[in-house]
Amino acid sequence: MTAAHSTHYRTCSLCEAMCGLTLTVEGDRVTSVRGDPDDPFSRGYLCPKGPAIAALHEDPDRLRRPLRRTGSTWTTIPWDEALDEAAHRIHTLQTTHGPHALAVYLGNPTVHNMGSMLYGPSFLRALGTRHRYSATSVDQLPQMLAAYLMYGHQLLMPVPDVDHTSHMVIIGGNPLVSNGSIMSAPDMKRRLAAIRSRGGKIVVIDPRRTETADVADEHVFVRPGSDALLLAAMAHVLFADKRVNLREHTNLIRNTGALEHAVADFTPERVAQPTGIPATTIRRMTHELAAADTGVLYGRVGISMHPFGAICHWLVNAINILTGALDRRGGAMFSRPAFDIVGSPPPLGLGRGSFGRWRSKVRGLPEFGGELPVATLAEDIAARGDDPIRGLLTIAGNPVLSTPNGPRLDAALAGLDFMVSIDFYLNETTRHAHLILPPSGPLEHGHFDVALHAVAVRNTVKYSPPVFAKGDHQRHDHEILVGIERRLHTHRGASLPTRLEVKLREQLGPERILALGLRAGPWSFGGGLRQGLRGLSWAQVTAAPHGIDLGPLEPCLPSRLPKRRGSGAPHIDLAPAALLADVARLAAELDPGPREPFVLIGRRQLRSNNSWMHNVAKLMTGKPRCTLLMHPTDATALGVADGADVRVSSRVGSLVVPIEIDDGIMAGVVSLPHGFGHDRGGTALRVATAHAGVSINDLTDEQRIDTLSGVAAFSGVPVAVEAI
Ligand SMILES: Nc1nc2c(c(=O)[nH]1)N[C@H]1C(S)=C(S)[C@@H](COP(=O)(O)OP(=O)(O)OC[C@H]3O[C@@H](n4cnc5c(=O)[nH]c(N)nc54)[C@H](O)[C@@H]3O)O[C@H]1N2
Ligand SMILES: Nc1nc2c(c(=O)[nH]1)N[C@H]1C(S)=C(S)[C@@H](COP(=O)(O)OP(=O)(O)OC[C@H]3O[C@@H](n4cnc5c(=O)[nH]c(N)nc54)[C@H](O)[C@@H]3O)O[C@H]1N2
Ligand code: SF4
Ligand SMILES: [Mo]
């Protein structure tokens, strides 16, 4: 007898592209995963990772019940006992050593999980610790900082309008492999090809001739870590050659003169040597961008996890403003999401942000949005003193593999009094936990992209109901968070209104909060007339399993800009003081000292997702992928052949890895993918362990940061490479 088939439509939650999937299910098994041709955003596209969502669902290594560790033994325990114990130990730790004795680390998948997005902020507030860290500070922190300082809101990050642009310059991003980031856009290959078939041009600036560079019109090699000089020179050219056109935004924009002054010394001739890009190329690229009807400059992690990440993203924004690209069709635009975490006030929105309200204890690095840079976590744990860190809570993160100097953090975690992880894998980080609280898997909860629509290239909305009901023995992420929160309030003897509010939220569930948020959002009542007079409703969204198209991005200035603190009117600051103050540090790069023999950069691979999908067997077939890319002339000079093992060493560590000779990488630059290094023992990841590879973050240096934002500077880590 065969079980009945059913068909389910769902947005893939594995990366930022939000592809629509069609899943066929037989009993408790997924029998096929295809792209959903009726999804208005992805129109049938999916990447090789999409089908892996079924493998994640079925993975026998995925944890389904809470685990308690005693020594090196793990025991399954019931949920109530696990949540009671988590809350009790957090409470004891905080009453003994103070509220900041508990550190928290939030990983990347929290952004893709509606339960964590909607229940995380109040949970974190309830914890009351200043020792909050997240993957933001190994990723987009500089981009958020620039948005906060320039536009007044941490999430007002303009998105390139790829579907209408005629000239796109991509610096430090490889969307053909990453599927686009802070630019949700499924099927980048088609979208980029469309630019060219419209007669437009694509330029890629990257130390490696990437997959994206291969489909571009022009690729320009840049020396890793030198991009801020290049961008300053581009801004310089716009002023010097009178190409500035602020369009109708002139009255909104402040401090144009201060920016002109700040970039005055950064002529193309001065930056040519340190960037490796001829002055004539810089001038031509800038003139072409300024002359395009609808041009846009897009920068992503290569210039964000970077020693000048904040300056880079400041200047990317500034160049888009100076060329008139901001808020123009085909330029750099803001989205208008149905559930609007940017425009809505907290708790529905995320808030405008904050910077420097407190500082890390050892290096004095600034808080941003309530978080400290994760590059400082291990030293903050080691520091003890006032406000010691004695415990850690991780949610959806694997910082041992994903943050700089992973081994130092690894050792620090082993010395904590208490650690609890909300995660469904026993991995390189969670193996240190005393308790693991595994949430439901990716197909067992409803899905709605709370965050990503804010950075999507088109306005769409979609809710995906759970494909499988979770078992009684399982909990969703939001249930775990609010379950601990409620228990903490009980321990603390919180007031009745507080306890009632938590109880109400516990019973409400994410779907009802989403429904409220839609009503409060910009497509409600009159805002979305196409959806009827009352605008877009939750009923309409849930009745549209493929999603609803809300159309292309539309100009929205000045209304999208928030009021500034105090009495400040909404405006755009082209030269925020904190960024101006960092220009002297950049100027010192005009005459760099002697160069290291090699610098290391990262790379993403289509069949990886940071550190956590290496346990999917289908994604791990073929040749080992964790290789060190090296230019042929460097390999010849070292006397090593393709596939030979080499030793790579940095200030913090050393490892052995096979090289892959590739003329697409700049001479003097080597590249390793991140997220590997699954041979640390004590994990339960059978497939990943068999394809262990090495961790690039055993080499990256927690002392090498962008000192302004505190983001880890992974771009261009000095290393030595030797044949063995
Ligand atoms: N397949 C896959 N997709 C992913 C992920 C994944 O792990 N795998 N991760 C997701 C996540 S969390 C993110 S944040 C996004 C990131 O998305 P992207 O920003 O597109 O990430 P990368 O593909 O790493 O591209 C970064 C590029 O920067 C280049 N680069 C390195 N150093 C420098 C430098 O100093 N200057 C310049 N100009 N370029 C430099 C690298 O060569 C690389 O081509 O991808 C997401 N999508
Ligand atoms: N050298 C170098 N380092 C890097 C990067 C780089 O390019 N180079 N990229 C950086 C970037 S951009 C990022 S975003 C970080 C990522 O760094 P992290 O976020 O720390 O690590 P991930 O590998 O994404 O691990 C995600 C964890 O979340 C768990 N998980 C998955 N889904 C869920 C869920 O729904 N709920 C819960 N509770 N858990 C879940 C997985 O099991 C896994 O343990 O890495 C950064 N590190
Ligand atoms: S591109 Fe991203 S969202 Fe689309 S199928 Fe692949 S992993 Fe999923
Ligand atoms: Mo990321």
Side-chain angles (χ1 to χ4, degrees):
M1 202 180 88
T2 48
H5 283 278
S6 55
T7 303
H8 303 256
Y9 303 102
R10 193 170 176 88
T11 299
C12 177
S13 53
L14 297 175
C15 87
E16 294 173 48
M18 301 192 278
C19 299
L21 305 179
T22 306
L23 294 101
T24 316
V25 168
E26 215 177 290
D28 60 358
R29 296 213 51 231
V30 179
T31 51
S32 84
V33 180
R34 283 163 294 131
D36 176 2
D38 297 321
D39 182 292
F41 195 36
S42 61
R43 302 182 355 203
Y45 175 79
L46 86 175
C47 86
K49 279 205 305 274
I53 206 162
L56 288 173
H57 175 68
E58 283 154 19
D59 188 349
D61 288 344
R62 182 164 63 84
L63 306 176
R64 286 152 176 96
R65 291 169 196 269
L67 291 178
R68 176 197 287 133
R69 180 172 61 83
T70 325
S72 54
T73 313
W74 291 96
T75 334
T76 303
I77 56 171
W79 271 105
D80 279 342
E81 190 178 328
L83 294 172
D84 286 348
E85 184 167 326
H88 180 250
R89 293 198 65 173
I90 291 170
H91 179 69
T92 311
L93 194 87
Q94 292 188 313
T95 43
T96 316
H97 302 288
H100 313 304
L102 181 79
V104 183
Y105 175 82
L106 268 69
N108 166 280
T110 53
V111 175
H112 303 258
N113 182 302
M114 64 178 194
S116 321
M117 282 304 293
L118 296 174
Y119 282 72
S122 52
F123 172 72
L124 294 169
R125 254 194 318 280
L127 289 177
T129 174
R130 284 186 169 182
H131 285 132
R132 276 170 52 192
Y133 306 82
S134 84
T136 292
S137 50
V138 281
D139 188 346
Q140 81 287 359
L141 170 58
Q143 229 162 324
M144 292 175 74
L145 177 61
Y148 173 71
L149 296 172
M150 298 178 75
Y151 304 115
H153 196 295
Q154 57 181 344
L155 294 178
L156 276 180
M157 294 178 280
V159 184
D161 185 12
V162 276
D163 293 343
H164 304 100
T165 190
S166 62
H167 188 100
M168 185 169 182
V169 179
I170 302 175
I171 178 164
N174 186 13
L176 230 60
V177 167
S178 66
N179 287 300
S181 183
I182 313 207
M183 174 179 65
S184 286
D187 201 356
M188 275 306 291
K189 197 170 192 168
R190 174 181 62 80
R191 290 177 204 263
L192 292 181
I195 296 176
R196 300 185 67 199
S197 44
R198 290 195 293 273
K201 179 168 180 180
I202 303 166
V203 180
V204 171
I205 305 170
D206 201 294
R208 184 166 80 85
R209 196 175 63 234
T210 59
E211 295 77 356
T212 307
D214 281 339
V215 302
D217 298 271
E218 182 176 358
H219 170 231
V220 177
F221 282 109
V222 62
R223 208 156 266 138
S226 72
D227 308 78
L229 295 172
L230 166 67
L231 293 163
M234 290 175 72
H236 172 99
V237 169
L238 291 172
F239 285 113
D241 298 351
K242 307 262 177 293
R243 307 297 162 105
V244 173
N245 175 9
L246 301 180
R247 297 188 12 255
E248 69 272 24
H249 305 315
T250 312
N251 293 333
L252 272 183
I253 294 169
R254 298 192 183 167
N255 291 327
T256 312
L259 174 63
E260 179 170 9
H261 185 251
V263 297
D265 291 342
F266 298 88
T267 61
E269 287 69 22
R270 284 287 270 130
V271 308
Q273 197 264 340
T275 60
I277 306 176
T280 47
T281 306
I282 298 174
R283 229 176 233 110
R284 175 181 52 78
M285 275 197 309
T286 312
H287 289 166
E288 283 176 5
L289 177 64
D293 292 342
T294 54
V296 66
L297 172 62
Y298 164 73
R300 216 13 215 123
V301 298
I303 61 157
S304 184
M305 39 179 75
H306 185 283
F308 293 91
I311 291 192
C312 284
H313 280 287
W314 164 37
L315 293 173
V316 166
N317 281 329
I319 289 167
N320 281 328
I321 293 167
L322 296 175
T323 56
L326 183 69
D327 200 42
R328 172 176 74 187
R329 169 112 350 150
M333 304 191 75
F334 297 114
S335 67
R336 201 158 67 112
F339 183 97
D340 188 8
I341 52 164
V342 185
S344 309
L348 294 172
L350 211 59
R352 287 179 297 182
S354 57
F355 182 47
R357 286 179 300 167
W358 57 85
R359 290 186 171 262
S360 73
K361 33 206 272 187
V362 181
R363 261 182 285 174
L365 301 179
E367 158 274 350
F368 179 80
E371 294 178 354
L372 291 168
V374 71
T376 185
L377 176 55
E379 74 195 19
D380 289 352
I381 294 175
R384 297 288 168 126
D386 294 343
D387 289 337
I389 296 175
R390 306 294 288 259
L392 176 68
L393 169 87
T394 69
I395 307 174
N398 192 2
V400 167
L401 294 192
S402 56
T403 66
N405 198 352
R408 183 174 179 192
L409 184 62
D410 202 12
L413 298 188
L416 291 169
D417 296 354
F418 177 60
M419 178 169 157
V420 49
S421 293
I422 303 176
D423 203 298
F424 45 58
Y425 281 118
L426 175 44
N427 65 21
E428 297 75 14
T429 297
T430 61
R431 70 193 171 127
H432 292 295
H434 298 91
L435 277 177
I436 301 181
L437 308 174
S440 54
L443 298 179
E444 293 161 342
H445 51 74
H447 179 76
F448 185 97
D449 280 291
V450 171
L452 297 173
H453 287 293
V455 289
V457 301
R458 192 175 178 89
N459 293 311
T460 60
V461 59
K462 177 167 162 184
Y463 170 72
S464 316
V467 175
F468 299 100
K470 81 170 161 66
D472 289 340
H473 60 282
Q474 289 181 289
R475 295 289 181 276
H476 296 309
D477 274 279
H478 78 274
E479 293 175 317
I480 299 170
L481 298 176
V482 74
I484 299 176
E485 189 181 345
R486 175 166 55 76
R487 286 166 173 84
L488 276 176
H489 286 309
T490 308
H491 281 300
R492 295 170 182 168
S495 68
L496 189 63
T498 304
R499 279 183 292 154
L500 284 176
E501 188 274 326
V502 178
K503 191 93 202 141
L504 175 72
R505 222 168 348 103
E506 193 166 19
Q507 278 160 10
L508 213 54
E511 279 82 356
R512 288 206 195 87
I513 299 177
L514 289 171
L516 287 171
L518 278 192
R519 265 293 158 240
W523 294 87
S524 187
F525 298 111
L529 275 180
R530 265 187 294 166
Q531 274 64 44
L533 263 184
R534 295 190 64 231
L536 188 71
S537 70
W538 183 244
Q540 286 173 328
V541 171
T542 51
H546 305 284
I548 298 174
D549 187 22
L550 300 171
L553 305 185
E554 300 284 350
C556 62
L557 288 185
S559 68
R560 196 80 176 133
L561 295 175
K563 269 226 176 75
R564 294 296 183 124
R565 291 223 152 79
S567 59
H571 64 264
I572 298 169
D573 189 349
L574 256 186
L579 289 160
L580 281 182
D582 206 26
V583 172
R585 187 171 65 98
L586 181 64
E589 297 290 305
L590 286 168
D591 304 296
R595 219 170 259 135
E596 303 78 14
F598 286 101
V599 292
L600 175 67
I601 61 170
R603 70 179 186 276
R604 281 177 162 70
Q605 298 173 320
L606 204 50
R607 291 187 297 149
S608 282
N609 199 19
N610 300 323
S611 78
W612 72 279
M613 286 182 60
H614 294 151
N615 211 48
V616 174
K618 272 203 186 128
L619 295 178
M620 300 309 285
T621 53
K623 312 190 284 188
R625 301 199 301 263
C626 188
T627 57
L628 186 80
L629 297 185
M630 183 182 274
H631 191 268
T633 55
D634 290 330
T636 307
L638 274 179
V640 287
D642 195 50
D645 278 344
V646 291
R647 176 172 298 282
V648 190
S649 315
S650 71
R651 185 193 74 85
V652 312
S654 115
L655 49 77
V656 173
V657 63
I659 70 158
E660 187 176 333
I661 296 177
D662 183 349
D663 67 3
I665 189 138
M666 256 177 123
V669 180
V670 287
S671 157
L672 262 182
H674 75 286
F676 285 91
H678 304 292
D679 54 356
R680 281 162 165 74
T683 62
L685 297 162
R686 281 168 286 186
V687 177
T689 308
H691 301 269
V694 292
S695 175
I696 187 174
N697 289 321
D698 291 359
L699 296 171
T700 58
D701 187 341
E702 83 286 7
Q703 299 297 323
R704 192 170 183 271
I705 56 171
D706 170 21
T707 47
L708 177 56
S709 66
V711 78
F714 294 135
S715 293
V717 177
V719 291
V721 184
E722 313 153 72
I724 45 176

